[in-house]
Amino acid sequence: MEPHAFRHLPELQGRLTPPQASGLRLTDEVLAAWDAQARQQGLSADWRLPDDVVERSRQAVLAQSEGCDLWVFAYGSLMWNPAIHFDEVRRARLADHARRFALATTIGRGTPDSPGLVLTLQRGVGDCEGLAFRIPQALLERESRMLWRREMIHGSYCPGFQPLHTPQGGVRALVLSANTAHPLHRGGLSLDDTAAIIASAQGSVGSNRDYLDQLACQLDLLGIRDDYVRCLAARVRAHTARRRTGVVK
């Protein structure tokens, strides 16, 4: 990641995981390791979508990109671990959407016996603030493949283009919103139930709580206030404290 990529947000330089150090850059080798882990955990062979299905999705969506650079909206782990090469990053805001921990995960931040929760984007009152990364057209083929393997591994998101507001002007960006019809979608969880899951789940990538803490840290760094994330983090801390003292409620 070259320094010029951070010209709008110099505070992010050195605060993002480099692509070559990211365990979420799903090269053939990394994906094979994930498959082996899935087998060890007893997951079926169809734990992820077939490669050809993921590729058809990528080609269908990118056919709408008009052969230009690709902007990608980041609202979750992409904000600190994008695992892609990019030429520019900006603050960005998506209207009429909110981030929610409403997607179950059985391998990255959880297990089949104790699934964790990761973020989705759901339509709602208010706006979602995050980041927008620009992948240059020359790198689009390679980097979009890495992005699709990571984000569309289960088909639990709906990829499409939506307008974003950035301080440098509006852009049309790839947005991965919730697939509410997916069997891993968990849209009806209360805040307390969500916090209880996040407080205890652990997967191959790390703990579910660490995911939440990294999100909160990145939002603080950028000066982004998200009351849902703040309230959830407080509930998770309370759940953790009760567990340590042996008090269960």
Side-chain angles (χ1 to χ4, degrees):
M1 293 179 283
E2 297 297 329
H4 72 268
F6 299 94
R7 55 191 178 276
H8 306 304
L9 293 168
E11 64 269 32
L12 280 181
Q13 192 164 0
R15 299 297 294 269
L16 302 183
T17 303
Q20 64 273 18
S22 174
L24 296 176
R25 187 171 173 86
L26 297 189
T27 61
D28 291 344
E29 294 77 15
V30 173
L31 194 57
W34 280 37
D35 283 337
Q37 182 189 340
R39 289 193 297 271
Q40 290 173 357
Q41 291 183 342
L43 294 175
S44 62
D46 62 351
W47 76 273
R48 64 178 177 92
L49 290 181
D51 293 339
D52 61 329
V53 174
V54 175
E55 179 61 12
R56 283 199 299 271
S57 166
R58 185 184 74 91
Q59 291 183 5
V61 174
L62 291 187
Q64 308 169 42
S65 68
E66 302 168 350
C68 302
D69 294 355
L70 178 67
W71 286 97
V72 179
F73 182 56
Y75 58 91
S77 60
L78 286 170
M79 293 180 66
W80 65 88
N81 188 359
I84 53 173
H85 294 275
F86 58 90
D87 271 6
E88 185 179 356
V89 59
R90 301 179 183 178
R91 279 278 297 269
R93 186 178 75 245
L94 176 65
D96 303 322
H97 285 77
R99 56 171 65 83
R100 291 291 184 268
F101 280 86
L103 178 63
T105 176
T106 59
I107 191 166
R109 298 286 180 175
T111 65
D113 293 332
S114 181
L117 291 169
V118 292
L119 283 170
T120 63
L121 263 183
Q122 303 201 49
R123 286 198 172 273
V125 178
D127 300 339
C128 182
E129 292 192 72
L131 297 173
F133 293 98
R134 181 174 59 81
I135 302 174
Q137 200 278 332
L139 301 180
L140 183 56
E141 183 70 14
R142 182 188 70 193
E143 298 307 306
S144 65
R145 285 181 184 274
M146 295 296 103
L147 182 66
W148 245 261
R149 278 185 168 184
R150 168 185 177 169
E151 299 296 331
M152 295 301 292
I153 195 165
H154 296 298
S156 47
Y157 294 106
C158 294
F161 287 95
Q162 296 194 46
L164 300 182
H165 170 80
T166 84
Q168 293 75 34
V171 299
R172 179 174 175 264
L174 174 69
V175 174
L176 294 148
S177 56
N179 177 358
T180 58
H182 196 276
L184 292 176
H185 185 69
R186 300 289 183 268
L189 291 173
S190 69
L191 198 64
D192 269 332
D193 288 342
T194 302
I197 292 170
I198 292 174
S200 60
Q202 176 90 27
S204 60
V205 175
S207 73
N208 210 169
R209 180 175 179 175
D210 185 52
Y211 179 100
L212 173 61
D213 289 344
Q214 286 178 294
L215 171 66
C217 181
Q218 202 72 332
L219 293 178
D220 286 344
L221 175 67
L222 293 163
I224 295 174
R225 182 181 179 91
D226 188 312
D227 290 336
Y228 167 79
V229 173
R230 289 190 177 195
C231 290
L232 184 57
R235 300 283 181 97
V236 170
R237 288 193 296 271
H239 273 278
T240 303
R242 288 198 295 269
R243 224 175 36 245
R244 285 174 179 166
T245 58
V247 177
V248 179
K249 291 185 180 179

